[in-house]
Amino acid sequence: MKHLLGIEELGREGIERILDRAESFEGVASRDIQKVPALRGRLIVNLFYEASTRTTSSFELAAKRLSADVISVRSSGSSVEKGESLKDTIATLDAYEPAAIVVRHPRAGAAHLVSKWTRASVINAGDGAHAHPTQALLDVHTLRGRIGALDGRNIWIVGDISHSRVARSTAKAFSLMGARVTLAGPPTLLPPGIGVALGCEEATTLAKIGDADIVYALRMQHERMTGGDIPSLAEYSTHYAVTEARLRPDQLVMHPGPVNRGVEIGGDVVDSGRSLIAQQVAAGVAVRMAVLYELLAGAEKDGRMREVTAA
Ligand code: ASP
């Protein structure tokens, strides 16, 4: 497998293979020297055109723990601000002969385009509202670590389904792992047909949220809203925020971060023992190590694909 652009490319078997490897990488953090030599002498480029804290830092750490060299480029402060196109930026970075480019971009399909313009492996670290496969992997990893197999588990993904790449990738991953997934939110934030497209149930109220074993709250994606999707954030919170008052004592809660306390989730839920948010962040490093290993460890530097598509 050369690139990781979407979670569906992996299937259940691929997800399990990567997460088993992530488990074996988990011990690296507690060693005296927090490194393994798997990618020594290889270059990983992180290219981020959108804000990020968790994804960029965990990819950087994952690459370093595999002994790779890392360059992190953010669009702000780079030649992108001088008008350089994505294609020209990729051509520039490709000249350094990276083994992998990790890319985040506000437009759906950007990672796919990048994979046509470089000889490196490309990892989609989020493209618009389309996909975020490594988030999906770390979400499955976190849950497997806490409850074991996901088969038959009832998971509700709540909030701004419409603008969320996490909803799309994570719902697919949970379903592939055998969970029953419900997408819940106001009708204006549930695109028509999304439940059928992703193999999930839909709910437009939280009346039956008690059915869920796990509640996954999504951040409101202000940056992708064109206005008018909801009457106001206060109105949204009244009806859809994941709060202690709405939850049964044994329900677990997840959130991809960054959290907007008091908007999509109560601060008391974030800080409670039912929250898996810190475990999700921690899982990000070992899971991204496993993804880099999966794509790169078997591929020799000289075996890299040399043809670059003209498109
Ligand atoms: N960090 C996640 C993403 O990049 C979730 C979010 O921003 O709401 O999609």
Side-chain angles (χ1 to χ4, degrees):
M1 181 172 173
K2 184 164 170 73
H3 307 294
L4 178 60
L5 304 177
I7 194 73
E8 58 282 352
E9 294 157 15
L10 291 173
R12 179 168 182 153
E13 203 187 312
I15 293 174
E16 284 174 342
R17 185 178 61 250
I18 290 178
L19 298 188
D20 287 347
R21 187 163 290 132
E23 220 172 293
S24 73
F25 281 139
E26 256 155 6
V28 174
S30 47
R31 294 185 186 175
D32 281 347
I33 297 173
Q34 297 172 305
K35 272 184 191 296
V36 290
L39 297 184
R40 193 166 47 200
R42 315 291 292 279
L43 173 63
I44 315 286
V45 174
N46 278 331
L47 176 61
F48 278 65
Y49 284 78
E50 260 192 0
S52 170
T53 302
R54 281 149 284 267
T55 308
T56 185
S57 57
S58 61
F59 262 116
E60 198 169 319
L61 196 51
K64 287 178 174 165
R65 291 209 169 140
L66 292 168
S67 305
D69 297 320
V70 192
I71 301 175
S72 292
V73 179
R74 291 199 181 250
S75 55
S76 72
S78 76
S79 291
V80 172
E81 287 190 341
K82 298 179 182 170
E84 188 172 62
S85 70
L86 178 59
K87 191 172 182 180
D88 286 338
T89 300
I90 296 302
T92 301
L93 296 170
D94 189 67
Y96 303 140
E97 305 221 358
I101 298 179
V102 177
V103 63
R104 168 169 292 185
H105 197 280
R107 300 286 177 189
H112 178 80
L113 281 178
V114 170
S115 73
K116 306 282 178 217
W117 297 333
T118 177
R119 296 162 294 175
S121 286
V122 174
I123 300 171
N124 185 2
D127 59 332
H130 178 231
H132 195 352
T134 58
Q135 176 73 45
L137 286 168
L138 72 87
D139 289 336
V140 173
H141 192 62
T142 303
L143 259 192
R144 280 212 317 178
R146 178 63 180 251
I147 64 169
L150 271 54
D151 296 281
R153 294 307 191 123
N154 210 331
I155 305 178
W156 277 48
I157 301 181
V158 180
D160 182 1
I161 308 289
S162 183
H163 302 99
S164 172
R165 55 194 172 213
V166 174
R168 284 170 182 76
S169 290
T170 292
K172 278 184 206 159
F174 285 159
S175 299
L176 283 167
M177 298 306 291
R180 296 202 320 266
V181 181
T182 300
L183 304 174
T188 49
L189 294 177
L190 270 176
I194 190 149
V196 175
L198 299 178
C200 304
E201 301 291 314
E202 290 180 22
T204 53
T205 74
L206 299 192
K208 293 197 175 150
I209 199 168
D211 292 351
D213 300 306
I214 295 102
V215 177
Y216 192 114
L218 295 169
R219 183 176 66 84
M220 295 296 276
Q221 308 281 295
H222 311 277
E223 69 275 29
R224 279 182 251 288
M225 288 187 180
T226 47
D229 292 302
I230 49 167
S232 69
L233 285 180
E235 180 85 3
Y236 172 85
S237 302
T238 305
H239 297 284
Y240 296 98
V242 176
T243 56
E244 280 297 330
R246 288 205 161 98
L247 297 171
R248 279 190 287 106
D250 59 333
Q251 286 176 302
L252 297 171
V253 173
M254 303 176 77
H255 189 298
V259 161
N260 287 154
R261 288 171 184 252
V263 178
E264 70 270 358
I265 188 169
D268 48 357
V269 176
V270 175
D271 298 329
S272 69
R274 65 165 86 247
S275 164
L276 300 182
I277 298 171
Q279 289 91 318
Q280 288 172 269
V281 176
V285 179
V287 165
R288 288 173 173 129
M289 285 173 81
V291 168
L292 290 169
Y293 188 92
E294 167 91 8
L295 299 185
L296 304 182
E300 286 307 312
K301 185 171 184 286
D302 292 339
R304 291 195 315 152
M305 193 171 68
R306 288 287 155 187
E307 302 79 20
V308 179
T309 318

